[in-house]
Amino acid sequence: MQATAYTYDSETRAGSVLLDDGTPLPFDAAAFDAGGLRLLRPGQRVRIEVEGLEGPPEGRRVVLVTLQTF
């Protein structure tokens, strides 16, 4: 799934992304580290993997954030 980086805190390595429909989804340091990134800037297109898509939005959890490659 694709999204846009919205916030990122380099100290905690956590932040949030915006889905293409405008829905924000937070991610934690584990999701950031799983992607092997060192830095993320707001506005960058990213690829994410999300658990809990079948359930309610509050049950969704980003488990991987990496840069979108074409």
Side-chain angles (χ1 to χ4, degrees):
M1 172 182 289
Q2 296 181 22
T4 302
Y6 184 53
T7 63
Y8 174 68
D9 182 333
S10 61
E11 290 186 23
T12 64
R13 297 183 326 280
S16 63
V17 297
L18 290 177
L19 301 181
D20 290 341
D21 68 1
T23 304
L25 269 181
F27 63 86
D28 58 16
F32 182 80
D33 293 343
L37 298 175
R38 293 188 283 168
L39 180 65
L40 189 62
R41 292 185 182 96
Q44 284 182 299
R45 288 295 285 174
V46 294
R47 187 176 66 83
I48 59 172
E49 290 184 14
V50 179
E51 287 181 345
L53 285 174
E54 301 80 28
E58 56 273 1
R60 295 178 184 174
R61 186 171 86 86
V62 176
V63 295
L64 176 112
V65 178
T66 190
L67 291 180
Q68 177 65 38
T69 57
F70 299 96

